[in-house]
Amino acid sequence: MRQAVFIYSTESEKYLYPPEHPFNTIRAKRVREIVSSMGLLSDSGRSEVAPVAAERMMLKKFHTARYLHALKTAAAGHWSAEALEMGIGSSDCPVFKGLYEYAVLATGGTLAAAKMILSGETELAFNPSGGYHHAGPELAAGFCYINDVALACIVLAEQKKRVLYLDVDVHHGDGVANAFYDRSDVLTISLHQNPKTLFPGTGFEHEIGTGEGKGYCVNVPLPVGTYDQAYMKAFEAIVLPLMKAYNPDVIVFELGADALAGDPLANLSLTNNAYAEIINHLMNFGKPILATGGGGYNVENTVRAWALAWSIFCGADPGEDIHHAVGGVLLESTEWQGGLRDRALAVSDSQRETVMPAIEATIEKIKTSIFPIHGL
Ligand SMILES: [Zn+2]
């Protein structure tokens, strides 16, 4: 079995976004409590690593010095108009106590994962406190300040690894897609709610990269109401053939859980069974996986999805072994009967009639524009 590393620092529990903000850092702590109670942080090739803050020289591989300075000084109480121009202190990206420390510690976790994968210490690392895919070199956006996933891709690509960045967060992974828009050594694939109906408003099928990177940026916009079977149809038709053709050395997987039904900020209708299926596909591919958290604003659903993800990563899928379902009694959700897997959701006729044709059209567009570049 593969060595799987859960990345978590209790230090991060000190830092909280403002109470009115939808981003809840408690999610990672809750995931850890559950998987720990299930015995999934020790034995049988599983371990836990506490990361340290990312060093500034690492952050500068993606962010500008000007931005890092503004972020640090704003977090220390010296906020400026210049910082706001870079998104620091906006309603989405407020300045709060410990902001800088939190962001660099979360990033340290994702970079520790990259380092362990590069050294061969592990083939699978999960940082539920990571996944800040919207941040730009000089931009805080969409609750993200430091783009840990872009940095991980940079670090892996520097060591000549072919990287597949796969982003299943409900929002377009714009910060990462932009970072590698003209490069072919990092293939970015983002599946997300149609940008016409959701932040950040980018991520259409025609955004396919430029120059060397043409065909190495893949966007799969999904209609409101997209359900498991429709999502998996898109995944299997697009992601699987591209993954096989590209044949990455490593997969960086942004596992935002805001595409789940019931997320207060988005409008897709997935259950965590779709995520489980995706993870099984990635595991079967047999390459190292660096997984992170991301969005997910229904805390209960997000926590359960990430606990399920970890259980699959470390070879203990509760869907296959009912004994692990007892871990679920820790959760408070009244919606849920036990175990980590969601119940299947009914799909209405009108949902089927609107969602499937839109997804089929998207698959065709991508097959036409992207597949020939990869010899498919
Ligand atoms: Zn999101």
Side-chain angles (χ1 to χ4, degrees), residues 133-179:
H133 60 168
H134 294 306
E138 213 163 63
L139 184 69
F143 317 161
C144 305
Y145 303 87
I146 305 271
N147 199 323
D148 61 308
V149 268
L151 282 163
C153 293
I154 289 170
V155 166
L156 292 162
E158 274 178 357
Q159 299 302 317
K160 306 288 175 223
K161 299 293 179 192
R162 282 167 76 77
V163 181
L164 168 62
Y165 173 76
L166 176 64
D167 188 322
V168 299
D169 190 284
V170 79
H171 301 95
H172 175 221
D174 55 347
V176 185
N178 293 340

Short mmCIF file of all heavy atoms in Angstrom, two decimals, residues 133-179:
data_model
loop_
_atom_site.label_atom_id
_atom_site.label_comp_id
_atom_site.label_asym_id
_atom_site.label_seq_id
_atom_site.Cartn_x
_atom_site.Cartn_y
_atom_site.Cartn_z
N HIS A 133 -6.57 28.68 -4.71
CA HIS A 133 -6.32 28.74 -6.15
C HIS A 133 -6.64 30.06 -6.84
O HIS A 133 -6.34 30.21 -8.02
CB HIS A 133 -7.08 27.59 -6.84
CG HIS A 133 -8.57 27.63 -6.64
ND1 HIS A 133 -9.44 26.83 -7.36
CD2 HIS A 133 -9.35 28.37 -5.81
CE1 HIS A 133 -10.69 27.07 -6.98
NE2 HIS A 133 -10.65 27.99 -6.03
N HIS A 134 -7.27 31.01 -6.13
CA HIS A 134 -7.62 32.27 -6.80
C HIS A 134 -6.54 33.35 -6.69
O HIS A 134 -6.59 34.33 -7.44
CB HIS A 134 -8.91 32.84 -6.20
CG HIS A 134 -10.13 32.02 -6.46
ND1 HIS A 134 -10.52 31.62 -7.72
CD2 HIS A 134 -11.06 31.49 -5.60
CE1 HIS A 134 -11.63 30.89 -7.63
NE2 HIS A 134 -11.98 30.79 -6.35
N ALA A 135 -5.63 33.21 -5.74
CA ALA A 135 -4.65 34.29 -5.55
C ALA A 135 -3.76 34.44 -6.78
O ALA A 135 -3.38 33.46 -7.43
CB ALA A 135 -3.79 33.99 -4.32
N GLY A 136 -3.47 35.69 -7.13
CA GLY A 136 -2.58 35.99 -8.26
C GLY A 136 -1.24 36.48 -7.74
O GLY A 136 -1.06 36.68 -6.53
N PRO A 137 -0.28 36.71 -8.65
CA PRO A 137 1.05 37.17 -8.21
C PRO A 137 0.98 38.44 -7.36
O PRO A 137 1.73 38.61 -6.42
CB PRO A 137 1.77 37.43 -9.53
CG PRO A 137 1.11 36.53 -10.51
CD PRO A 137 -0.34 36.48 -10.11
N GLU A 138 0.02 39.29 -7.72
CA GLU A 138 -0.12 40.54 -6.98
C GLU A 138 -1.59 40.78 -6.66
O GLU A 138 -2.11 41.89 -6.79
CB GLU A 138 0.44 41.68 -7.84
CG GLU A 138 1.08 42.78 -7.06
CD GLU A 138 1.99 43.66 -7.91
OE1 GLU A 138 1.48 44.31 -8.84
OE2 GLU A 138 3.20 43.69 -7.62
N LEU A 139 -2.26 39.71 -6.26
CA LEU A 139 -3.70 39.83 -6.06
C LEU A 139 -4.23 38.85 -5.01
O LEU A 139 -3.99 37.63 -5.10
CB LEU A 139 -4.43 39.56 -7.38
CG LEU A 139 -5.94 39.73 -7.37
CD1 LEU A 139 -6.32 41.21 -7.21
CD2 LEU A 139 -6.57 39.16 -8.63
N ALA A 140 -4.94 39.40 -4.03
CA ALA A 140 -5.74 38.56 -3.12
C ALA A 140 -7.14 38.52 -3.72
O ALA A 140 -7.69 39.55 -4.11
CB ALA A 140 -5.78 39.18 -1.73
N ALA A 141 -7.73 37.34 -3.84
CA ALA A 141 -9.05 37.23 -4.46
C ALA A 141 -9.75 35.97 -3.98
O ALA A 141 -9.10 34.96 -3.67
CB ALA A 141 -8.91 37.18 -5.99
N GLY A 142 -11.08 36.04 -3.91
CA GLY A 142 -11.86 34.84 -3.61
C GLY A 142 -11.40 34.10 -2.36
O GLY A 142 -11.26 32.88 -2.39
N PHE A 143 -11.18 34.85 -1.27
CA PHE A 143 -10.79 34.29 0.04
C PHE A 143 -9.34 33.78 0.06
O PHE A 143 -8.92 33.14 1.01
CB PHE A 143 -11.71 33.13 0.49
CG PHE A 143 -13.19 33.34 0.28
CD1 PHE A 143 -14.06 32.26 0.27
CD2 PHE A 143 -13.73 34.61 0.13
CE1 PHE A 143 -15.44 32.44 0.09
CE2 PHE A 143 -15.10 34.81 -0.06
CZ PHE A 143 -15.95 33.72 -0.09
N CYS A 144 -8.59 34.02 -1.03
CA CYS A 144 -7.23 33.46 -1.15
C CYS A 144 -6.19 34.58 -1.13
O CYS A 144 -6.35 35.59 -1.83
CB CYS A 144 -7.09 32.70 -2.46
SG CYS A 144 -8.32 31.40 -2.70
N TYR A 145 -5.11 34.37 -0.40
CA TYR A 145 -4.05 35.37 -0.28
C TYR A 145 -2.74 34.87 -0.89
O TYR A 145 -2.05 35.59 -1.60
CB TYR A 145 -3.82 35.73 1.18
CG TYR A 145 -5.07 36.24 1.89
CD1 TYR A 145 -5.97 35.34 2.48
CD2 TYR A 145 -5.36 37.60 1.95
CE1 TYR A 145 -7.11 35.80 3.12
CE2 TYR A 145 -6.51 38.07 2.59
CZ TYR A 145 -7.37 37.15 3.18
OH TYR A 145 -8.51 37.61 3.80
N ILE A 146 -2.37 33.64 -0.56
CA ILE A 146 -1.13 33.06 -1.09
C ILE A 146 -1.51 31.79 -1.86
O ILE A 146 -2.19 30.91 -1.33
CB ILE A 146 -0.17 32.65 0.04
CG1 ILE A 146 0.13 33.83 0.98
CG2 ILE A 146 1.11 32.02 -0.52
CD1 ILE A 146 1.29 34.68 0.62
N ASN A 147 -1.08 31.73 -3.12
CA ASN A 147 -1.51 30.62 -3.97
C ASN A 147 -0.59 29.40 -3.77
O ASN A 147 0.35 29.17 -4.53
CB ASN A 147 -1.55 31.05 -5.43
CG ASN A 147 -2.40 30.10 -6.27
OD1 ASN A 147 -2.38 28.89 -6.03
ND2 ASN A 147 -3.12 30.64 -7.22
N ASP A 148 -0.92 28.63 -2.75
CA ASP A 148 -0.10 27.47 -2.40
C ASP A 148 -0.07 26.42 -3.50
O ASP A 148 0.95 25.76 -3.72
CB ASP A 148 -0.64 26.83 -1.11
CG ASP A 148 -2.07 26.35 -1.25
OD1 ASP A 148 -2.92 27.15 -1.70
OD2 ASP A 148 -2.34 25.17 -0.96
N VAL A 149 -1.19 26.26 -4.22
CA VAL A 149 -1.22 25.21 -5.24
C VAL A 149 -0.41 25.60 -6.48
O VAL A 149 0.29 24.76 -7.06
CB VAL A 149 -2.67 24.79 -5.62
CG1 VAL A 149 -3.12 23.63 -4.76
CG2 VAL A 149 -3.68 25.91 -5.50
N ALA A 150 -0.46 26.89 -6.84
CA ALA A 150 0.40 27.34 -7.95
C ALA A 150 1.86 27.16 -7.56
O ALA A 150 2.68 26.69 -8.36
CB ALA A 150 0.12 28.80 -8.29
N LEU A 151 2.18 27.51 -6.31
CA LEU A 151 3.57 27.36 -5.84
C LEU A 151 4.01 25.90 -5.88
O LEU A 151 5.14 25.60 -6.28
CB LEU A 151 3.69 27.92 -4.42
CG LEU A 151 3.78 29.45 -4.35
CD1 LEU A 151 3.50 29.95 -2.94
CD2 LEU A 151 5.15 29.93 -4.82
N ALA A 152 3.14 25.00 -5.48
CA ALA A 152 3.50 23.57 -5.51
C ALA A 152 3.78 23.13 -6.94
O ALA A 152 4.75 22.42 -7.21
CB ALA A 152 2.39 22.73 -4.89
N CYS A 153 2.94 23.56 -7.87
CA CYS A 153 3.15 23.20 -9.28
C CYS A 153 4.48 23.76 -9.78
O CYS A 153 5.22 23.09 -10.52
CB CYS A 153 2.01 23.72 -10.16
SG CYS A 153 0.41 22.95 -9.85
N ILE A 154 4.80 24.99 -9.38
CA ILE A 154 6.07 25.61 -9.78
C ILE A 154 7.25 24.79 -9.26
O ILE A 154 8.19 24.47 -10.00
CB ILE A 154 6.15 27.07 -9.26
CG1 ILE A 154 5.16 27.96 -10.03
CG2 ILE A 154 7.58 27.62 -9.35
CD1 ILE A 154 4.98 29.35 -9.44
N VAL A 155 7.18 24.44 -7.99
CA VAL A 155 8.28 23.70 -7.36
C VAL A 155 8.46 22.33 -8.02
O VAL A 155 9.59 21.89 -8.29
CB VAL A 155 7.99 23.55 -5.84
CG1 VAL A 155 8.89 22.51 -5.20
CG2 VAL A 155 8.15 24.89 -5.14
N LEU A 156 7.36 21.67 -8.32
CA LEU A 156 7.44 20.35 -8.97
C LEU A 156 7.98 20.48 -10.39
O LEU A 156 8.82 19.69 -10.83
CB LEU A 156 6.06 19.68 -8.97
CG LEU A 156 5.54 19.28 -7.57
CD1 LEU A 156 4.03 19.03 -7.61
CD2 LEU A 156 6.27 18.03 -7.06
N ALA A 157 7.50 21.51 -11.11
CA ALA A 157 7.94 21.70 -12.50
C ALA A 157 9.42 22.08 -12.55
O ALA A 157 10.13 21.69 -13.48
CB ALA A 157 7.08 22.76 -13.19
N GLU A 158 9.89 22.82 -11.56
CA GLU A 158 11.32 23.18 -11.49
C GLU A 158 12.20 21.93 -11.44
O GLU A 158 13.33 21.95 -11.91
CB GLU A 158 11.60 23.99 -10.21
CG GLU A 158 11.35 25.46 -10.35
CD GLU A 158 11.61 26.21 -9.03
OE1 GLU A 158 11.91 25.56 -8.00
OE2 GLU A 158 11.48 27.43 -9.04
N GLN A 159 11.66 20.88 -10.86
CA GLN A 159 12.42 19.62 -10.79
C GLN A 159 12.10 18.71 -11.98
O GLN A 159 12.25 17.49 -11.91
CB GLN A 159 12.13 18.90 -9.47
CG GLN A 159 12.51 19.70 -8.23
CD GLN A 159 13.98 20.06 -8.19
OE1 GLN A 159 14.83 19.24 -8.50
NE2 GLN A 159 14.28 21.32 -7.85
N LYS A 160 11.60 19.36 -13.04
CA LYS A 160 11.36 18.68 -14.32
C LYS A 160 10.24 17.63 -14.26
O LYS A 160 10.22 16.68 -15.06
CB LYS A 160 12.64 18.01 -14.86
CG LYS A 160 13.82 18.96 -14.96
CD LYS A 160 13.62 19.94 -16.10
CE LYS A 160 14.73 21.00 -16.16
NZ LYS A 160 14.22 22.35 -16.40
N LYS A 161 9.36 17.78 -13.30
CA LYS A 161 8.20 16.89 -13.25
C LYS A 161 7.12 17.42 -14.20
O LYS A 161 6.90 18.64 -14.28
CB LYS A 161 7.62 16.82 -11.84
CG LYS A 161 8.59 16.29 -10.79
CD LYS A 161 8.91 14.84 -11.04
CE LYS A 161 9.90 14.31 -10.01
NZ LYS A 161 10.44 13.01 -10.38
N ARG A 162 6.48 16.50 -14.90
CA ARG A 162 5.28 16.89 -15.67
C ARG A 162 4.14 16.88 -14.69
O ARG A 162 3.87 15.86 -14.04
CB ARG A 162 4.99 15.86 -16.77
CG ARG A 162 5.88 15.99 -17.98
CD ARG A 162 5.74 14.77 -18.85
NE ARG A 162 4.51 14.76 -19.63
CZ ARG A 162 4.31 15.48 -20.73
NH1 ARG A 162 5.23 16.30 -21.14
NH2 ARG A 162 3.17 15.40 -21.40
N VAL A 163 3.44 18.01 -14.58
CA VAL A 163 2.43 18.16 -13.55
C VAL A 163 1.03 18.24 -14.16
O VAL A 163 0.80 19.00 -15.10
CB VAL A 163 2.69 19.45 -12.72
CG1 VAL A 163 1.64 19.60 -11.62
CG2 VAL A 163 4.09 19.46 -12.14
N LEU A 164 0.13 17.44 -13.63
CA LEU A 164 -1.29 17.63 -13.94
C LEU A 164 -1.91 18.32 -12.74
O LEU A 164 -1.87 17.80 -11.62
CB LEU A 164 -1.99 16.28 -14.16
CG LEU A 164 -3.53 16.35 -14.20
CD1 LEU A 164 -4.04 17.20 -15.35
CD2 LEU A 164 -4.14 14.95 -14.29
N TYR A 165 -2.43 19.51 -12.97
CA TYR A 165 -3.17 20.22 -11.91
C TYR A 165 -4.65 20.02 -12.19
O TYR A 165 -5.18 20.46 -13.20
CB TYR A 165 -2.83 21.71 -11.92
CG TYR A 165 -3.70 22.51 -10.96
CD1 TYR A 165 -3.47 22.46 -9.59
CD2 TYR A 165 -4.77 23.27 -11.42
CE1 TYR A 165 -4.27 23.15 -8.70
CE2 TYR A 165 -5.58 23.97 -10.53
CZ TYR A 165 -5.32 23.90 -9.18
OH TYR A 165 -6.13 24.58 -8.30
N LEU A 166 -5.32 19.32 -11.29
CA LEU A 166 -6.74 19.05 -11.45
C LEU A 166 -7.51 19.75 -10.34
O LEU A 166 -7.21 19.56 -9.16
CB LEU A 166 -6.99 17.53 -11.39
CG LEU A 166 -8.46 17.10 -11.45
CD1 LEU A 166 -9.11 17.48 -12.78
CD2 LEU A 166 -8.58 15.59 -11.22
N ASP A 167 -8.49 20.53 -10.73
CA ASP A 167 -9.20 21.40 -9.79
C ASP A 167 -10.70 21.10 -9.88
O ASP A 167 -11.34 21.38 -10.89
CB ASP A 167 -8.91 22.85 -10.18
CG ASP A 167 -9.42 23.88 -9.18
OD1 ASP A 167 -10.52 23.66 -8.63
OD2 ASP A 167 -8.73 24.89 -8.99
N VAL A 168 -11.25 20.51 -8.81
CA VAL A 168 -12.69 20.19 -8.82
C VAL A 168 -13.48 21.13 -7.90
O VAL A 168 -14.66 20.89 -7.66
CB VAL A 168 -12.96 18.71 -8.45
CG1 VAL A 168 -12.31 17.79 -9.46
CG2 VAL A 168 -12.49 18.37 -7.03
N ASP A 169 -12.83 22.17 -7.41
CA ASP A 169 -13.55 23.21 -6.68
C ASP A 169 -14.64 23.76 -7.62
O ASP A 169 -14.46 23.77 -8.83
CB ASP A 169 -12.55 24.32 -6.32
CG ASP A 169 -13.09 25.35 -5.36
OD1 ASP A 169 -13.89 26.21 -5.81
OD2 ASP A 169 -12.70 25.32 -4.18
N VAL A 170 -15.74 24.23 -7.05
CA VAL A 170 -16.85 24.68 -7.89
C VAL A 170 -16.52 25.98 -8.64
O VAL A 170 -17.17 26.34 -9.61
CB VAL A 170 -18.14 24.85 -7.05
CG1 VAL A 170 -18.14 26.15 -6.26
CG2 VAL A 170 -19.38 24.72 -7.92
N HIS A 171 -15.47 26.67 -8.17
CA HIS A 171 -15.05 27.91 -8.84
C HIS A 171 -13.84 27.63 -9.75
O HIS A 171 -13.00 26.79 -9.43
CB HIS A 171 -14.65 28.95 -7.79
CG HIS A 171 -15.76 29.29 -6.83
ND1 HIS A 171 -15.89 28.67 -5.61
CD2 HIS A 171 -16.80 30.15 -6.93
CE1 HIS A 171 -16.96 29.16 -4.99
NE2 HIS A 171 -17.53 30.05 -5.77
N HIS A 172 -13.77 28.36 -10.83
CA HIS A 172 -12.63 28.23 -11.75
C HIS A 172 -11.31 28.46 -11.01
O HIS A 172 -11.16 29.45 -10.30
CB HIS A 172 -12.80 29.26 -12.88
CG HIS A 172 -11.65 29.31 -13.83
ND1 HIS A 172 -11.15 30.49 -14.33
CD2 HIS A 172 -10.90 28.32 -14.38
CE1 HIS A 172 -10.14 30.22 -15.15
NE2 HIS A 172 -9.98 28.92 -15.20
N GLY A 173 -10.35 27.56 -11.22
CA GLY A 173 -9.04 27.72 -10.60
C GLY A 173 -8.20 28.72 -11.36
O GLY A 173 -7.15 28.38 -11.92
N ASP A 174 -8.65 29.97 -11.39
CA ASP A 174 -8.06 30.98 -12.28
C ASP A 174 -6.60 31.32 -11.96
O ASP A 174 -5.78 31.48 -12.86
CB ASP A 174 -8.93 32.24 -12.30
CG ASP A 174 -9.19 32.82 -10.91
OD1 ASP A 174 -8.91 32.14 -9.90
OD2 ASP A 174 -9.70 33.96 -10.84
N GLY A 175 -6.28 31.41 -10.67
CA GLY A 175 -4.91 31.79 -10.31
C GLY A 175 -3.89 30.79 -10.82
O GLY A 175 -2.81 31.17 -11.29
N VAL A 176 -4.23 29.52 -10.77
CA VAL A 176 -3.30 28.48 -11.22
C VAL A 176 -3.30 28.41 -12.75
O VAL A 176 -2.25 28.32 -13.39
CB VAL A 176 -3.66 27.12 -10.60
CG1 VAL A 176 -2.61 26.08 -10.97
CG2 VAL A 176 -3.77 27.24 -9.08
N ALA A 177 -4.49 28.46 -13.35
CA ALA A 177 -4.58 28.42 -14.82
C ALA A 177 -3.76 29.56 -15.43
O ALA A 177 -2.99 29.36 -16.38
CB ALA A 177 -6.04 28.50 -15.25
N ASN A 178 -3.90 30.76 -14.87
CA ASN A 178 -3.17 31.91 -15.41
C ASN A 178 -1.66 31.75 -15.25
O ASN A 178 -0.89 32.17 -16.11
CB ASN A 178 -3.60 33.20 -14.70
CG ASN A 178 -5.04 33.58 -15.02
OD1 ASN A 178 -5.60 33.12 -16.02
ND2 ASN A 178 -5.65 34.39 -14.18
N ALA A 179 -1.26 31.14 -14.14
CA ALA A 179 0.17 30.99 -13.86
C ALA A 179 0.87 30.14 -14.93
O ALA A 179 2.06 30.33 -15.19
CB ALA A 179 0.38 30.37 -12.47
#
